[in-house]
Amino acid sequence: MNKNIAVIRGDGIGPEIIEQALRVLDKISELYGHTFRFTDVDMGGCAIDKWGNPLPDEMLEKCVKSDSVLLGAVGGNKWNDVPSNLRPEKGLLRLRAGMGVYSNNRPAKIWKQLSDASPLKKSIVDKGIDFIIVRELIGGIYFGEHKTENDTAIDVLKYSESEIERIGRIGFETARKRNKKLCSVEKSNVLDSSRLWKKVMHRLAKEYTDIELSDMLVDNCAMQIVKDPSQFDVIVTENMFGDILSDEASMITGSIGMIPSSSLGATKCGLYEPIHGSAPDIAGKDIANPIGTILSAAMMLRFSFDMEKEAASIENAVSAFLDSGYRTADIMSDGMTLVGCRKCGDIIVEKIKK
Ligand code: NAD
């Protein structure tokens, strides 16, 4: 297969971690006979320096026209004093809106080799943590009307059936590619928007008869994620609930440097990025963990290009890296071998097998 990938290296550790992900993709193309063409896109602080704009129109166009976008991270203290409409993060918001990516997928997976890194009890971690939160990204209370009148503030939470249906379908499709269990999270005992959410999910379930759908109230879900995360396969939920639950879920897995994410819209063209920022404190030192970015590239192969075997090859190589006792500084523990960002990339590339 031939695929055009827009690559945003960004700021801070962005270029270092992206470089390792590109080397991994090169190895996959070599092993599986694909052609990945990389097009560099300037976004964030580096684009402000070069173009005076965190995401110039022609850069957004390159992303929209690509088959998918791989992003490192943007931002840093250097651009703290630029006008707020020109901040590096504005480039990211514009990119998400411009690509119409309404579905944010963030996996919560604990690698058995890193189980000590979780703040949860060993007995809970040992049962396994491996689920994905599918979060609606461009609707709900964050995008409703916001106003303050005298001593009263109002934020409107609004969802239409079509908005719920499109994210619901992503939830079912994601579950179909995994263990076929979907948990729909809402607050239908209180909110009308949640009752509509539940109704639409159950209507969709009639089309996805191979998927086991369950419902859970959001307050119970927050508790269940720490009590027994092994019960979850895919969670689908609205914007604000997903924002809160996905941060909770990332925390129970250990290091921020290990976690990838994808954001998808109506087309197969997605935005893939690690969940962390540009980590200016460690930039340029060759100590960043590139695994979150490498796993984001694996998600791109799975969700945008339907390359399941290729994605699994990358994930198996990451697991083999950890099995061999190698660790970057953020996940280092006694008796392990410390490696830098580039060396981590070298070893993962070497361990990729068809
Ligand atoms: P951060 O995620 O960049 O860093 C938080 C801590 O985690 C730091 O100590 C950092 O060294 C560490 N860390 C992060 N990624 C790591 C990795 N791959 N390997 C090892 N350690 C890692 O968050 P921050 O410091 O709050 O933000 C720094 C900049 O990044 C800010 O300008 C912020 O706006 C921006 N940011 C960008 C994105 C994005 O591009 N999607 C997301 C969040 C923050």
Side-chain angles (χ1 to χ4, degrees), residues 147-180:
K147 65 178 177 190
T148 303
E149 284 167 357
N150 303 320
D151 62 351
T152 305
I154 301 168
D155 299 290
V156 176
L157 166 49
K158 196 167 89 177
Y159 268 112
S160 66
E161 285 203 20
S162 59
E163 282 176 299
I164 300 170
E165 181 172 331
R166 68 182 185 179
I167 189 71
R169 287 191 184 282
I170 300 283
F172 280 101
E173 296 290 341
T174 307
R176 186 168 266 172
K177 292 188 173 122
R178 291 172 50 95
N179 295 322
K180 301 189 168 47

Side-chain angles (χ1 to χ4, degrees), residues 13 17 43 71-77 79-80 87-89 92 96 255-258 273-283 287-293 328-330:
I13 59 170
I17 54 177
M43 189 181 89
L71 163 66
V74 296
N77 296 339
W79 301 280
N80 277 354
R87 283 183 65 89
E89 295 78 5
L92 185 54
R96 287 175 179 160
S255 173
I256 196 173
M258 296 290 296
E273 53 180 317
I275 68 160
H276 58 74
S278 60
D281 52 332
I282 58 169
I287 56 173
N289 183 346
I291 294 179
T293 317
T328 47
D330 57 315

Side-chain angles (χ1 to χ4, degrees), residues 7 34 65 83 91 103 159 170 179 213 257 264 352:
V7 177
H34 302 305
K65 284 188 173 158
S103 162
Y159 268 112
I170 300 283
N179 295 322
L213 175 69
L264 282 153
I352 294 176

Side-chain angles (χ1 to χ4, degrees), residues 19-175:
E19 196 54 39
Q20 308 318 315
L22 298 187
R23 294 170 66 214
V24 162
L25 288 172
D26 280 340
K27 179 70 181 271
I28 290 290
S29 61
E30 186 191 310
L31 283 180
Y32 288 88
H34 302 305
T35 304
F36 298 132
R37 280 190 213 92
F38 304 128
T39 305
D40 272 312
V41 170
D42 298 325
M43 189 181 89
C46 58
I48 296 172
D49 289 350
K50 200 163 160 188
W51 308 103
N53 181 335
L55 184 65
D57 288 346
E58 58 273 32
M59 296 294 160
L60 176 59
E61 202 180 315
K62 281 188 192 181
C63 293
V64 172
K65 284 188 173 158
S66 70
D67 291 314
S68 261
V69 180
L70 184 64
L71 163 66
V74 296
N77 296 339
K78 183 180 169 193
W79 301 280
N80 277 354
D81 296 330
V82 299
S84 65
N85 63 330
L86 283 182
R87 283 183 65 89
E89 295 78 5
K90 283 282 175 192
L92 185 54
L93 293 182
R94 193 158 168 250
L95 177 66
R96 287 175 179 160
M99 291 179 69
V101 285
Y102 56 79
S103 162
N104 180 243
N105 297 15
R106 192 189 274 195
K109 171 171 172 159
I110 190 141
W111 297 82
K112 61 180 189 318
Q113 303 91 332
L114 300 178
S115 54
D116 288 351
S118 174
L120 296 184
K121 275 196 290 197
K122 190 173 179 312
S123 57
I124 296 175
V125 173
D126 284 350
K127 288 170 77 181
I129 302 174
D130 184 3
F131 61 96
I132 289 189
I133 295 181
V134 175
R135 167 191 167 196
E136 202 291 323
L137 202 57
I138 55 177
I141 198 163
Y142 294 172
F143 287 82
E145 187 189 3
H146 307 288
K147 65 178 177 190
T148 303
E149 284 167 357
N150 303 320
D151 62 351
T152 305
I154 301 168
D155 299 290
V156 176
L157 166 49
K158 196 167 89 177
Y159 268 112
S160 66
E161 285 203 20
S162 59
E163 282 176 299
I164 300 170
E165 181 172 331
R166 68 182 185 179
I167 189 71
R169 287 191 184 282
I170 300 283
F172 280 101
E173 296 290 341
T174 307

Side-chain angles (χ1 to χ4, degrees), residues 192-249:
D192 271 35
S193 57
S194 280
R195 280 192 279 276
L196 183 64
W197 179 278
K198 191 171 174 180
K199 188 178 104 183
V200 173
M201 288 298 156
H202 281 267
R203 194 182 69 216
L204 286 177
K206 293 186 183 128
E207 284 179 45
Y208 293 90
T209 50
D210 53 327
I211 309 297
E212 180 194 321
L213 175 69
S214 60
D215 307 295
M216 193 175 279
L217 296 176
V218 63
D219 39 354
N220 184 27
C221 184
M223 185 181 77
Q224 295 297 333
I225 283 177
V226 290
K227 184 170 173 248
D228 180 16
S230 72
Q231 69 187 284
F232 296 111
D233 180 25
V234 179
I235 288 173
V236 63
T237 191
E238 60 99 86
N239 202 344
M240 184 168 67
F241 297 161
D243 191 8
I244 298 164
L245 294 177
S246 62
D247 266 26
E248 183 191 7

